[in-house]
Amino acid sequence: MLDRVSALGNVVTKRTFQVFNPSTGELLAELPDMGIEETQAAIERAYVAQAGWAALTARERSDALWRWHQLIVTHTDDLAAVLTAEMGKPFAEAKSEVSHAAAYLKWYAEEANRIYGETISAPSTDRRMLVIKQPIGVVGAITPWNFPASMVARKISPALAAGCTIVLKPAEQTPLVAGAMFALAHQAGLPEGVVNLIYASEGDAVGRELCSNPKVRKVSFTGSTEVGRQLMRQCSDQIKKVSLELGGNAPFIVFDDADVDAAVDGAIQAKFRNAGQTCVSANRIYVQAGVHDEFADKLTERVRTLVVGDGFDPDVSIGPLIDTRALTKIQGHITDALEKGGVIRCGGRQVGGGGTFFQPTVLTGITGNMLLAQEETFGPLAPIIRFEDPEQVVRQANDTIYGLAAYFYASSLKRVWRVAEALEYGMVGINTGRMSSEAAPFGGMKQSGIGREGSRHGLEDYLEMKYLCMGGM
């Protein structure tokens, strides 16, 4: 039984929680269940270490990130195996995610050397006016279960590049790959206290401490909009900076001038990757009447070929849902749709044999009053909505409190520009179903979040801008 974590030094807790494989129900690990006391100790360690980490040259921080990147690349298969065991996604997808995590570390190892200030033309000859950028300080980060490796890297790498230190709580369902990545960070030579890991079965106490402790200067969270609202309220007393990447309700629009085969390929990527358990997953598939039947037939045919099962089986393309609550939600959405006139084209049932497996499903006859058109399903369910009016479908796509990601397929350049500009989303995939990249800003509008991760813009969220006015020159 584990009763301590090296990242927290001598902090010991006798409380524990268990981590299970969602495919088999197998017990994978028993971990220390940390709370406020352990979080306070981790924050103190990060606070003490931050000044020394920030004092290093940009090149020294870059070199440390580069060494961590190389270790993750070397151990890709091992990390992917841990990820598949605790989260369930197919091993090939897990390897892709680990590679994506490594790409963030590489990107910000390079960006660490590109933190620039500026000079401003002064209004008088005896002054000099400058702007410099400095690390914000200790960062509290909370990551989700659906991408437990890449989300860790996406939050930590820009913070470290900027000169910040980190206290991170991974999701209780998938903490093991984060622990393995932190072990590699220590092997890479990151100084003691720069990265600190909190294992906890419940996030409330840890989240409250990260939000209320004045030594934490910023909180970064990826998860549900409901929890994001709560964390934002808790940070408000200290006017603490937050980055929030929250829920989505992504539209996927296929216009009648689209390449239907390409649109089907894109829908498979945008809907069924990670069993539909992504925040940018296509949740509402709008198809114009002229190509509706062709698209629905071809998508159904493709979805029937998807194999559900244990992620370690090389033939499997759809792994389990994360837990029984996810099963209940997808079943509820299907039941509601059928009661209101929806039609199952394929799938629609839980897969037996143990585990939280669900058949990839296509529904037609979908209308806006159904739950699956209003809520994020977070599962392998593709609801197809027929539309006639191109302008009306954009209004329908925007008719949500969310604004994270959207997708559409069209050939007309005029339509491409007009629709791309009209969609109220932070990210828009045009004739593609997959757009995530460490080089691009990831984040949403409206109640899908605040701030951006990835790209050069992601570094800015961990920096304070300071204006210097020098007189008597």
Side-chain angles (χ1 to χ4, degrees):
M1 178 182 294
L2 296 176
D3 63 0
R4 61 182 292 166
V5 169
S6 61
L8 294 182
N10 295 322
V11 173
V12 175
T13 176
K14 295 184 178 180
R15 302 181 304 274
T16 63
F17 70 101
Q18 296 176 325
V19 181
F20 296 91
N21 182 324
S23 291
T24 64
E26 174 193 0
L27 175 64
L28 297 175
E30 191 163 10
L31 300 177
D33 196 358
M34 301 178 180
I36 293 176
E37 180 182 351
E38 293 83 9
T39 305
Q40 289 172 339
I43 291 170
E44 183 62 30
R45 288 168 60 82
Y47 183 78
V48 170
Q50 197 272 321
W53 179 247
L56 296 178
T57 66
R59 174 58 64 188
E60 288 171 321
R61 293 196 299 273
S62 173
D63 288 346
L65 284 169
W66 182 254
R67 290 193 299 271
W68 191 9
H69 156 79
Q70 291 177 309
L71 285 169
I72 287 178
V73 170
T74 299
H75 293 280
T76 294
D77 284 359
D78 295 332
L79 292 168
V82 174
L83 201 163
T84 294
E86 67 178 343
M87 196 267 147
K89 68 177 59 178
F91 185 66
E93 279 193 34
K95 287 182 66 175
S96 177
E97 180 183 339
V98 172
S99 296
H100 197 42
Y104 277 107
L105 289 165
K106 180 180 178 182
W107 175 268
Y108 284 108
E110 296 164 344
E111 286 297 299
N113 297 297
R114 302 188 182 103
I115 300 174
Y116 301 126
E118 61 183 284
T119 58
I120 302 170
S121 296
S124 61
T125 58
D126 64 341
R127 292 186 185 183
R128 298 294 183 269
M129 299 165 65
L130 307 93
V131 174
I132 63 172
K133 295 180 181 179
Q134 297 176 305
I136 194 168
V138 177
V139 175
I142 302 173
T143 53
W145 52 262
N146 57 340
F147 289 93
S150 60
M151 293 301 95
V152 168
R154 198 166 78 184
K155 291 188 184 301
I156 287 182
S157 51
L160 296 181
C164 301
T165 53
I166 285 280
V167 177
L168 181 133
K169 181 208 170 292
E172 60 271 19
Q173 301 97 326
T174 56
L176 301 180
V177 73
M181 290 174 68
F182 271 51
L184 294 178
H186 290 297
Q187 286 186 33
L190 269 70
E192 192 74 15
V194 170
V195 292
N196 304 272
L197 186 63
I198 297 291
Y199 290 134
S201 63
E202 297 289 342
D204 288 351
V206 175
R208 283 195 304 271
E209 185 61 31
L210 292 175
C211 293
S212 62
N213 193 308
K215 291 182 177 177
V216 177
R217 299 292 298 276
K218 174 186 171 67
V219 170
S220 179
F221 169 75
T222 295
S224 72
T225 296
E226 179 183 1
V227 174
R229 291 190 193 105
Q230 180 180 344
L231 293 173
M232 193 172 181
R233 283 192 292 266
Q234 292 172 355
C235 287
S236 65
D237 285 345
Q238 296 180 22
I239 321 296
K240 187 170 296 187
K241 279 196 172 183
V242 294
S243 290
L244 303 173
E245 195 261 284
L246 307 177
N249 188 2
F252 186 103
I253 307 171
V254 183
F255 291 99
D256 57 10
D257 63 334
D259 180 331
V260 174
D261 291 329
V264 170
D265 289 341
I268 293 291
Q269 287 186 324
K271 175 70 263 182
F272 294 102
R273 183 167 62 103
N274 201 25
Q277 299 174 116
T278 82
C279 55
V280 295
S281 178
N283 201 60
R284 298 168 289 154
I285 301 177
Y286 297 95
V287 184
Q288 199 162 8
V291 295
H292 174 277
D293 293 348
E294 179 186 3
F295 178 89
D297 289 344
K298 288 183 174 180
L299 181 65
T300 301
E301 182 181 353
R302 286 283 301 279
V303 170
R304 285 197 177 108
T305 69
L306 300 177
V307 179
V308 182
D310 190 303
F312 286 110
D313 184 333
D315 296 325
V316 162
S317 47
I318 301 285
L321 297 179
I322 190 63
D323 55 29
T324 56
R325 288 179 297 178
L327 277 175
T328 299
K329 186 172 187 179
I330 192 172
Q331 290 167 333
H333 279 186
I334 291 173
T335 299
D336 174 77
L338 295 179
E339 290 175 350
K340 295 173 181 176
V343 177
I344 293 179
R345 296 291 299 269
C346 68
R349 296 191 305 274
Q350 183 177 354
V351 178
T356 51
F357 300 104
F358 198 87
Q359 293 176 328
T361 303
V362 177
L363 296 180
T364 55
I366 303 303
T367 56
N369 66 332
M370 297 176 182
L371 287 177
L372 52 71
Q374 301 167 12
E375 301 176 353
E376 189 176 23
T377 301
F378 234 63
L381 171 59
I384 301 176
I385 306 169
R386 182 191 296 263
F387 76 91
E388 300 277 355
D389 184 348
E391 294 185 3
Q392 183 181 16
V393 77
V394 173
R395 291 193 294 270
Q396 291 174 330
N398 288 337
D399 187 19
T400 172
I401 64 172
Y402 301 106
L404 186 58
Y407 308 85
F408 72 92
Y409 278 72
S411 295
S412 164
L413 186 59
K414 179 179 179 180
R415 173 172 283 170
V416 164
W417 274 110
R418 289 192 173 184
V419 173
E421 292 175 350
L423 288 170
E424 297 171 350
Y425 291 83
M427 300 174 288
V428 180
I430 304 166
N431 294 326
T432 180
R434 192 167 185 173
M435 53 183 163
S436 295
S437 168
E438 70 279 3
F442 191 104
M445 300 177 179
K446 297 188 282 188
Q447 294 189 39
S448 283
I450 297 172
R452 294 294 185 270
E453 295 182 327
S455 81
R456 66 180 180 84
H457 302 287
L459 193 60
E460 296 295 324
D461 274 358
Y462 296 91
L463 294 166
E464 292 278 25
M465 183 183 297
K466 182 182 289 185
Y467 160 53
L468 308 178
C469 183
M470 304 170 65
M473 300 299 292

